[in-house]
Coordinates of all heavy atoms in Angstrom, one line a residue:
L340 N 112.7 98.0 78.8 CA 112.3 96.7 79.5 C 113.6 95.9 79.9 O 114.5 95.7 79.1 CB 111.5 95.8 78.5 CG 111.0 94.5 79.1 CD1 110.1 94.8 80.3 CD2 110.4 93.7 78.0
L341 N 113.6 95.6 81.2 CA 114.7 94.8 81.7 C 114.4 93.3 81.8 O 115.3 92.5 81.5 CB 115.2 95.4 83.1 CG 115.7 96.8 83.1 CD1 116.0 97.2 84.5 CD2 116.8 97.1 82.2
R342 N 113.2 93.0 82.3 CA 112.8 91.7 82.6 C 111.4 91.5 82.7 O 110.7 92.5 83.2 CB 113.6 91.1 83.7 CG 113.4 89.6 84.0 CD 114.3 89.1 85.1 NE 115.8 89.3 84.8 CZ 116.5 88.3 84.1 NH1 115.9 87.2 83.8 NH2 117.7 88.6 83.8
V343 N 110.8 90.3 82.4 CA 109.4 90.0 82.7 C 109.3 88.7 83.4 O 109.9 87.7 83.1 CB 108.7 89.9 81.3 CG1 107.2 89.6 81.6 CG2 108.8 91.2 80.5
Y344 N 108.5 88.8 84.5 CA 108.1 87.6 85.2 C 106.7 87.3 85.0 O 105.8 88.2 85.1 CB 108.3 87.8 86.7 CG 109.7 88.3 87.1 CD1 110.0 89.7 87.0 CD2 110.8 87.5 87.4 CE1 111.3 90.2 87.4 CE2 112.0 87.9 87.7 CZ 112.3 89.2 87.7 OH 113.5 89.7 88.0
T345 N 106.4 86.1 84.6 CA 105.0 85.7 84.2 C 104.5 84.6 85.0 O 105.1 83.8 85.7 CB 104.9 85.3 82.7 OG1 105.8 84.1 82.5 CG2 105.4 86.3 81.8
S346 N 103.1 84.6 85.0 CA 102.3 83.6 85.8 C 101.0 83.4 85.0 O 100.5 84.4 84.5 CB 102.0 84.1 87.2 OG 101.0 83.1 87.9
P347 N 100.6 82.2 84.8 CA 99.4 81.9 84.0 C 98.1 82.3 84.7 O 97.2 81.6 85.1 CB 99.4 80.4 83.9 CG 100.1 79.9 85.0 CD 101.2 80.9 85.3
G348 N 98.0 83.6 85.0 CA 96.8 84.2 85.6 C 96.7 84.0 87.1 O 95.6 84.2 87.7
N349 N 97.8 83.7 87.7 CA 97.8 83.4 89.2 C 98.4 84.4 90.1 O 98.4 84.2 91.3 CB 98.5 82.0 89.4 CG 97.6 80.9 88.8 OD1 96.4 80.9 88.9 ND2 98.3 79.8 88.3
F350 N 99.0 85.5 89.5 CA 99.6 86.4 90.4 C 98.4 87.1 91.2 O 97.3 87.4 90.5 CB 100.3 87.5 89.7 CG 101.7 87.2 89.3 CD1 102.4 87.7 88.2 CD2 102.5 86.3 90.1 CE1 103.7 87.3 87.9 CE2 103.7 85.9 89.8 CZ 104.4 86.4 88.7
R351 N 98.6 87.5 92.4 CA 97.5 88.3 93.1 C 98.1 89.7 93.3 O 97.9 90.5 92.4 CB 97.2 87.6 94.5 CG 96.5 86.3 94.4 CD 95.1 86.5 93.8 NE 94.3 87.4 94.5 CZ 93.2 87.8 94.1 NH1 92.6 87.5 93.0 NH2 92.4 88.6 94.9
F352 N 98.7 89.9 94.4 CA 99.2 91.3 94.6 C 100.7 91.3 95.0 O 101.2 90.4 95.5 CB 98.4 92.1 95.6 CG 97.0 92.4 95.1 CD1 95.9 91.8 95.8 CD2 96.7 93.3 94.1 CE1 94.6 92.0 95.3 CE2 95.5 93.5 93.6 CZ 94.4 92.9 94.2

Side-chain angles (χ1 to χ4, degrees):
L340 181 65
L341 301 178
R342 188 171 295 272
V343 179
Y344 305 87
T345 60
S346 171
N349 289 326
F350 281 151
R351 291 296 302 171
F352 292 112

